[in-house]
Amino acid sequence: MCGIIGLFDNENVTEKLLKSLTTMEYRGYDSVGIALIEDTGHLHVKKGSGRVSGLQQEMTLLRGKIGIGHTRWATHGKPNATNAHPIANDNIAVIHNGIIENHDNIRNELGVIQWQTETDTEVLLHF
Ligand code: GLU
């Protein structure tokens, strides 16, 4: 079962995000990711297949007060870094638990030319 965490604080949330995801590891997952709005305003996304600990080193230098994190249990698309959540563009980062049953219909209706993942979740990014 996937895990989702969102944090908004007066101090850096990087460590808390990693700790929260680690706490939810018992639920089971196959890939992991974090999106952080850095103090510079830049939306930074880190994703990978495997464990939360795989993100640890890359996250230590990042600083931000708003972030979201996800441990994914893949239902649509391989459990790899591309399909891991957050699924993001320059301004929006989406994480989602469960299945969007009608994602194929929505994909067709949206008419997006270039999809970045194999997930059902990505349709949420293009509304
Ligand atoms: N259906 C989504 C996916 O495969 C979310 C899976 C989950 O709940 O972790 O990316």
Side-chain angles (χ1 to χ4, degrees):
M1 189 190 297
C2 87
I4 293 175
I5 179 73
L7 288 172
F8 172 45
D9 206 341
N10 288 324
E11 56 189 44
N12 182 31
V13 295
T14 310
E15 277 305 314
K16 286 180 187 165
L17 278 175
L18 290 169
K19 203 169 173 183
S20 302
L21 290 174
T22 303
T23 303
M24 292 189 287
E25 281 188 315
Y26 72 93
R27 296 158 64 97
Y29 66 103
D30 51 46
S31 44
V32 61
I34 281 175
L36 185 75
I37 300 178
E38 292 181 282
D39 290 339
T40 59
H42 176 248
L43 177 62
H44 199 102
V45 177
K46 287 279 177 208
K47 311 198 289 186
S49 57
R51 316 311 290 175
V52 176
S53 57
L55 296 182
Q56 196 101 35
Q57 198 173 356
E58 293 184 67
M59 294 292 294
T60 48
L61 295 177
L62 298 177
R63 294 279 174 274
K65 298 182 179 72
I66 303 172
I68 56 176
H70 187 254
T71 49
R72 175 179 183 236
W73 189 291
T75 63
H76 293 67
K78 295 176 203 71
N80 58 27
T82 302
N83 292 329
H85 303 198
I87 295 165
N89 60 26
D90 289 343
N91 304 306
I92 300 169
V94 175
I95 57 180
H96 151 244
N97 174 19
I99 293 172
I100 300 170
E101 298 280 359
N102 59 342
H103 75 100
D104 269 337
N105 292 342
I106 297 172
R107 274 185 178 242
N108 291 336
E109 280 176 27
L110 287 171
V112 172
I113 293 168
Q114 200 153 8
W115 295 91
Q116 56 175 285
T117 76
E118 302 164 322
T119 66
D120 51 340
T121 303
E122 188 179 344
V123 297
L124 301 172
L125 185 66
H126 300 286
F127 274 109

